[in-house]
Amino acid sequence: MSDKEDIISVDYEIFGRVQGVFFRKYTQAEGKKLGLVGWVQNTKTGTVQGQVQGPSSKVKWMQEWLKTTGSPQSQIIKAEFKNERKIEGLDHKNFKVIRP
């Protein structure tokens, strides 16, 4: 039996006042602080979406942060998470902001 933590990947979309309030910058900083990799971007519909990968406990922490904290001026209405799965290796080298 291994006590090695699973590496997981999850996609997310955050709804509310999340554009124009440095949400992507804060998301990138929190992801890096936790040692996670992935990406974040604005959508045309006014949401922020992305993907986060890393040890399951750190990803869960990030999910909670995305649901409840965000950037100081953001107002999060809801957070949706989907496609959560175990992965063998990371698909990203760092945590980046994707700009249109």
Side-chain angles (χ1 to χ4, degrees), residues 36-88:
L36 300 171
V37 298
W39 55 272
V40 59
Q41 70 179 12
N42 286 340
T43 68
K44 288 185 165 102
T45 57
T47 65
V48 169
Q49 68 179 10
Q51 184 178 75
V52 61
Q53 297 181 342
S56 60
S57 63
K58 303 275 184 158
V59 170
K60 297 293 183 199
W61 181 272
M62 185 70 178
Q63 285 177 285
E64 191 61 28
W65 185 90
L66 287 165
K67 279 195 287 197
T68 61
T69 306
S71 66
Q73 294 181 331
S74 65
Q75 294 175 344
I76 300 162
I77 294 172
K78 77 173 175 173
E80 291 183 353
F81 301 98
K82 58 187 177 196
N83 300 326
E84 185 173 319
R85 64 200 183 280
K86 276 196 238 184
I87 55 175
E88 293 299 315

Side-chain angles (χ1 to χ4, degrees), residues 8-21:
I8 64 170
S9 176
V10 67
D11 299 335
Y12 61 86
E13 186 166 9
I14 313 301
F15 299 79
R17 190 166 144 237
V18 293
Q19 289 191 7
V21 292

